[in-house]
């Protein structure tokens, strides 16, 4: 583990609104993947002007979502950024007590889902260019269950713990220089009740 707070819980509307911007969400995800980056590097990834990316990075920093990192090059001319935590947690119970909060939470959740779906669509479009072992290892499935709310909460906690175990395993391997054959992997889970 990196020593940073794991899954910082967002509980205030201002921070939620700061994150709930398509470009800011992309920049935050880009920093999670890169660990540290400059506005120039991130601007190239998202195909936006450096000045616009710098503005949005400062907004994320104002809300403590990212922070300045140590300079990665000796010239010190560029400002480096890193996530302030190892992830974020946004929970319904923190935003259901007022209509404006609930609406902001729903909008943020929809944006997160759309960006996750875009990531998966990109993988599907590029699947033919991945080695067969990656396509065999990739997973897409749906399981329908009949559970209580408590059972769903337990299942969600177990899935998070399992994902964290593998996240820490990958970080430890990277820190030890064991990077051969490693790729970024996104695991998206959506567990929710529905009525047929």
């Amino acid at each position: 583990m990196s020593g940073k707070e794991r899954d910082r819980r967002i509980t205030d509307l201002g921070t939620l609104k700061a994150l709930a911007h398509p470009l800011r969400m992309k920049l935050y995800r880009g920093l999670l993947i890169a660990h540290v980056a400059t506005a120039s590097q991130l601007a190239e990834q998202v195909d936006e002007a450096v000045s616009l990316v710098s503005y949005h990075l400062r907004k994320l920093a104002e809300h403590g979502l990212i922070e300045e990192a140590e300079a990665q090059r000796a010239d010190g001319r560029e400002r480096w950024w890193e996530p302030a935590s190892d992830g974020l947690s946004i929970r319904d119970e923190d935003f259901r007590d007022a209509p404006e909060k609930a609406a902001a939470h729903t909008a943020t959740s929809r944006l997160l889902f759309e960006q996750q779906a875009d990531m998966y669509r990109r993988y599907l479009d590029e699947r033919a260019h991945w080695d067969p072992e990656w396509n065999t290892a990739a997973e897409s499935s749906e399981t329908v269950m009949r559970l209580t709310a408590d059972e769903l909460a337990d299942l969600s906690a177990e899935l998070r713990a399992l994902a964290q175990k593998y996240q820490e395993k990958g970080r430890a391997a990277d820190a030890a220089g064991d990077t051969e054959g490693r790729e970024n992997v996104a695991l998206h889970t959506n567990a929710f009740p529905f009525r047929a």
Side-chain angles (χ1 to χ4, degrees):
M1 178 133 166
S2 70
K4 292 184 179 187
E5 176 185 10
R6 175 175 290 289
D7 294 334
R8 175 187 166 205
R9 188 168 174 173
I10 295 176
T11 58
D12 67 287
L13 188 58
T15 301
L16 185 66
K17 285 182 174 182
L19 181 65
H21 183 283
L23 181 55
R24 289 181 198 156
M25 215 171 268
K26 284 181 184 178
L27 294 171
Y28 183 80
R29 182 175 281 118
L31 277 174
L32 279 178
I33 293 166
H35 305 295
V36 293
T38 64
S40 298
Q41 292 168 335
L42 291 167
E44 191 173 311
Q45 285 179 18
V46 298
D47 196 28
E48 294 288 351
V50 175
S51 58
L52 180 64
V53 168
S54 292
Y55 168 79
H56 285 294
L57 289 171
R58 287 191 304 275
K59 287 295 177 191
L60 290 170
E62 283 175 22
H63 291 276
L65 298 168
I66 67 170
E67 59 194 15
E68 279 195 66
E70 285 186 34
Q72 304 296 302
R73 295 193 185 118
D75 66 13
R77 289 184 292 161
E78 291 194 275
R79 196 174 192 184
W80 290 81
W81 297 97
E82 64 184 348
S85 63
D86 281 333
L88 300 174
S89 172
I90 305 168
R91 299 186 186 163
D92 174 70
E93 64 260 25
D94 295 323
F95 296 98
R96 69 169 79 125
D97 62 335
E100 180 188 12
K101 288 179 169 183
H105 180 243
T106 297
T108 303
S109 298
R110 286 179 182 274
L111 180 57
L112 280 167
F113 174 75
E114 288 302 320
Q115 288 191 356
Q116 291 167 353
D118 285 344
M119 288 176 72
Y120 188 60
R121 282 186 203 102
R122 190 168 54 246
Y123 161 71
L124 292 175
D125 291 344
E126 298 170 354
R127 181 168 37 193
H129 304 287
W130 284 95
D131 291 335
E133 63 266 15
W134 281 105
N135 287 316
T136 300
E139 170 72 10
S140 176
S141 63
E142 179 178 17
T143 304
V144 178
M145 302 168 250
R146 288 196 46 83
L147 304 175
T148 65
D150 286 342
E151 289 168 339
L152 177 55
D154 289 345
L155 174 61
S156 297
E158 287 181 40
L159 289 171
R160 275 192 308 275
L162 183 60
Q164 287 173 355
K165 172 186 162 186
Y166 279 89
Q167 186 180 47
E168 289 169 8
K169 183 177 182 177
R171 284 188 179 133
D174 278 345
D178 177 15
T179 59
E180 183 156 344
R182 293 192 179 279
E183 297 284 352
N184 294 316
V185 173
L187 174 65
H188 301 149
T189 58
N190 297 297
F192 53 90
F194 70 96
R195 294 188 175 107

